[in-house]
Amino acid sequence: MFARWRFERALRSLRQSDHSVLRDYANAAWPQRDCHATKASYLALDFELDGLRKDAHLLQAGWVPFVGTTISLEEAHSVDIRSSAELDDTAVTIHGIGEQRAANGQRLRDVVPELVAMLAGRVMVAHGEAIERHALQRATRALYGVDIPIWGICTLVLEKHLKPRLVGSQAYRLGPSRHRYGLPEYRAHDALTDAIAAAELFQAQLSRLPADATLGQLERR
């Protein structure tokens, strides 16, 4: 309840923003906490970053909207984000985005408004949701001077609720979690592929929850 109150208070503040993208975000038709979980609108989101530091550069974003068991692949989107930084070699090895590719990406100030508009009125879904939430808030803070309020659901946290006693540090990663539901194996560390993978995992997780599960109940996970 308190988290929802803070979210709504932040939206009220955004309605006075000088930036139209933030005003539109605040004025979107947001679902209620008692909305059936299969009826709400979601946006699965994934970022590829230059490591996990608090100041890590955003290098790629991928997102896909969905409702219930339907994923709108025609609205799926992936974009490289421009960076002129000297990138972390370990991170480059993982996601494959080197300095030349990063230098040709789109500007952050062009990507963020599009992403914020897609997220308006939708609940964000991500595996390890805190990473995406903090990265997007850091971007909106840099562009607009404010941390955008985000209503999010973490498939990793939800999986720990559904399967609480798994052993090993890898058990709750996205790939092994999908495998437990019979979902296909995807190549990891591409933002759009990982976003779609998180959306499919969430849909599978919903099938294991009570039939009357609401957003408010998921919010407390």
Side-chain angles (χ1 to χ4, degrees):
M1 288 290 290
F2 182 65
R4 178 66 180 184
W5 176 81
R6 288 191 303 175
F7 177 77
E8 291 176 347
R9 184 181 66 172
L11 290 181
R12 287 195 296 271
S13 177
L14 282 190
R15 293 186 182 111
Q16 310 303 319
S17 174
D18 294 333
H19 303 283
S20 61
V21 65
L22 298 184
R23 294 196 303 272
D24 291 344
Y25 183 84
N27 288 317
W30 292 94
Q32 299 300 310
R33 294 182 72 253
D34 61 357
C35 176
H36 196 288
T38 62
K39 304 298 184 183
S41 295
Y42 300 96
L43 188 75
L45 174 65
D46 186 78
F47 289 124
E48 294 300 325
L49 300 97
D50 179 32
L52 296 178
R53 309 178 314 277
K54 289 185 177 181
D55 61 345
H57 290 251
L58 285 173
L59 299 177
Q60 187 186 42
W63 61 83
V64 60
F66 66 102
V67 178
T69 59
T70 303
I71 297 178
S72 302
L73 289 179
E74 68 274 11
E75 297 184 81
H77 189 65
S78 177
V79 58
D80 287 354
I81 300 172
R82 186 178 304 176
S83 173
S84 58
E86 182 177 343
L87 302 181
D88 180 86
D89 289 341
T90 301
V92 171
T93 300
I94 293 172
H95 53 58
I97 302 174
E99 292 172 8
Q100 182 175 359
R101 178 176 167 183
N104 292 317
Q106 294 187 29
R107 297 175 301 179
L108 186 68
R109 65 174 179 265
D110 295 328
V111 175
V112 170
E114 182 180 4
L115 175 52
V116 169
M118 284 298 298
L119 188 57
R122 293 186 169 103
V123 179
M124 186 180 79
V125 170
H127 199 74
E129 178 264 349
I131 294 174
E132 274 66 37
R133 173 162 41 88
H134 292 153
L136 181 53
Q137 288 177 330
R138 182 159 50 89
T140 61
R141 189 187 318 135
L143 293 174
Y144 309 123
V146 62
D147 287 6
I148 193 171
I150 296 171
W151 191 353
I153 292 175
C154 180
T155 51
L156 188 154
V157 171
L158 189 53
E159 187 66 5
K160 288 182 177 180
H161 167 76
L162 292 168
K163 310 283 185 179
R165 291 179 291 276
L166 298 181
V167 178
S169 60
Q170 304 297 308
Y172 293 103
R173 293 179 67 87
L174 182 55
S177 296
R178 286 174 54 84
H179 180 74
R180 283 190 288 275
Y181 296 92
L183 295 169
E185 182 178 353
Y186 291 158
R187 182 175 67 86
H189 303 298
D190 171 81
L192 180 55
T193 302
D194 285 349
I196 294 171
E200 292 176 344
L201 173 60
F202 180 64
Q203 290 175 333
Q205 291 171 328
L206 283 180
S207 72
R208 304 302 197 274
L209 292 170
D212 59 351
T214 66
L215 283 179
Q217 291 168 335
L218 295 181
E219 189 178 53
R220 292 193 292 272
R221 302 299 179 202

